[in-house]
Amino acid sequence: PAARTARLLGMGVALLVLLHLAGTACHLVFHIRAGAFITLFDLDLESNLPTFYNCLLFFVCAGLFLAHSRLWNVKQRYGWLVMTGACAFLGVDEGSQIHEKFMLVTLRLLNHGQQNGSDLGWLYYAWVLPYGIAAALLVLTLTKWMLALDKEMRRGFIISGLVYVTGAVFMEMYSGRIAEHLDPSTLTPGAMDDLPCEVYPANSCHLYTSVRYIVAYTLEETLEMAALVICAYTLMKGLGRERVTIEIATAPTPVK
C-alpha cells in the first residue's frame, strides 16, 4: 500500500536525519570528536549511509516510473520513460558525484579558467547552473505529458518537484553563499579543536563550526529525500488505482 510504503521510506529519512544531528551535536554541544560516527551519518559527506539511502530512493522512483510505463492503458508513454531515465541517472549521480565534475567545468567557464568559486556568490556551488538548465529543459519536454496526467498525480509530482528544487537548488545555493563568507582566519582560537577535520573535504573543516551552514545543508538533504518519498507515494498510489500489484521474487517462478 502507498501509505505504508511512504511511512517506511519516511522513517528511513527521519532516522538518518536524527543520526546526523546526533553526530553534529557531538562536536557542537558535547565537544566530542566522533569522527567514525560523522563519517557514517553526516548528510554533507559522500559515500556514506545517507548517500546510499538517497540513491536507493532514486532507484525506487525509477522502478515505479518504469512500472507505470508498462501499463496497458498508459498515455504519453515517453514521459514515464524519460522520468525513469532521469531518476536512474540522478541515482547514479548521487552515488558517483558526477555533479562535482560539472562544478569544476562550470567554475572554469564562469571564473576565467579558475576552479575557485569564492567570487561567485549564489553560484559558489556552480553545478546548480547546468543542472538547473537541464531541469528547465526537462519540464518543457514533459509539459504535454504532465497535462495528460490525472489531477491527483499531477499535484503530487508538482509538490515533489517543488520540494526537491527547493532543497537541491535553492538551499544548495544558500549554503554556498554562507560558505563563501566563512573565513577561517576569523574563528576564535580552538574553534575547530573538537572537529574531526580529517573526515571533511580538504580546506572546508571551518564550515562545520557554523550552525547556520549546518542548518542549511541539513535542510537541503532532508528536503531532497522528502521529495523522493512524496514522489514514490504518488507513483504507488497511481499504481493502486490501476489495481496493479508489484511482487518482488526472491527465487525463479516455476513454469506451470
Side-chain angles (χ1 to χ4, degrees), residues 193-240:
D193 288 352
D194 300 320
L195 285 170
C197 290
E198 67 278 2
V199 307
Y200 293 121
N203 304 318
S204 68
C205 188
H206 66 284
L207 299 177
Y208 301 91
T209 63
S210 169
V211 173
R212 194 156 63 108
Y213 179 76
I214 292 170
V215 169
Y217 80 73
T218 301
L219 278 174
E220 172 204 334
E221 298 296 335
T222 304
L223 287 172
E224 287 182 24
M225 290 189 284
L228 292 172
V229 173
I230 295 170
C231 182
Y233 170 74
T234 302
L235 290 163
M236 288 287 288
K237 203 168 182 182
L239 290 173

Side-chain angles (χ1 to χ4, degrees), residues 3-18:
R4 187 183 302 173
T5 302
R7 279 197 299 270
L8 287 172
L9 295 176
M11 285 169 59
V13 174
L15 178 61
L16 288 172
V17 172
L18 287 173

Side-chain angles (χ1 to χ4, degrees), residues 25-46:
C26 284
H27 61 77
L28 283 182
V29 180
F30 304 111
H31 307 293
I32 301 171
R33 289 169 53 87
F37 192 86
I38 289 170
T39 300
L40 275 176
F41 298 113
D42 195 290
L43 294 176
D44 204 35
L45 298 181
E46 308 292 349

Side-chain angles (χ1 to χ4, degrees), residues 131-154:
Y131 274 56
I133 294 171
L137 292 174
L138 187 66
V139 170
L140 290 174
T141 302
L142 296 178
T143 299
K144 187 177 178 181
W145 170 73
M146 284 286 289
L147 293 174
L149 297 173
D150 66 77
K151 185 178 179 180
E152 186 174 355
M153 184 165 285
R154 183 166 58 248

Side-chain angles (χ1 to χ4, degrees), residues 182-195:
L182 287 175
D183 186 351
S185 65
T186 62
L187 296 178
T188 58
M192 295 194 296
D193 288 352
D194 300 320
L195 285 170

Side-chain angles (χ1 to χ4, degrees), residues 46-151:
E46 308 292 349
S47 303
N48 59 6
L49 289 179
T51 303
F52 170 79
Y53 195 70
N54 215 340
C55 293
L56 177 65
L57 290 174
F58 272 119
F59 291 133
V60 166
C61 289
L64 293 173
F65 274 114
L66 182 63
H68 272 276
S69 75
R70 299 180 65 180
L71 295 178
W72 68 272
N73 60 342
V74 66
K75 297 178 181 179
Q76 308 289 343
R77 191 183 303 272
Y78 79 96
W80 300 101
L81 293 174
V82 168
M83 286 304 299
T84 300
C87 286
F89 168 77
L90 290 172
V92 172
D93 177 33
E94 186 68 26
S96 58
Q97 293 91 54
I98 297 173
H99 59 280
E100 298 288 345
K101 312 303 185 292
F102 274 101
M103 184 169 75
L104 299 178
V105 174
T106 309
L107 283 174
R108 284 185 177 276
L109 292 174
L110 295 177
N111 210 18
H112 309 292
Q114 301 297 316
Q115 289 187 353
N116 185 353
S118 60
D119 299 323
L120 296 178
W122 291 91
L123 294 178
Y124 184 88
Y125 293 123
W127 67 265
V128 299
L129 187 59
Y131 274 56
I133 294 171
L137 292 174
L138 187 66
V139 170
L140 290 174
T141 302
L142 296 178
T143 299
K144 187 177 178 181
W145 170 73
M146 284 286 289
L147 293 174
L149 297 173
D150 66 77
K151 185 178 179 180

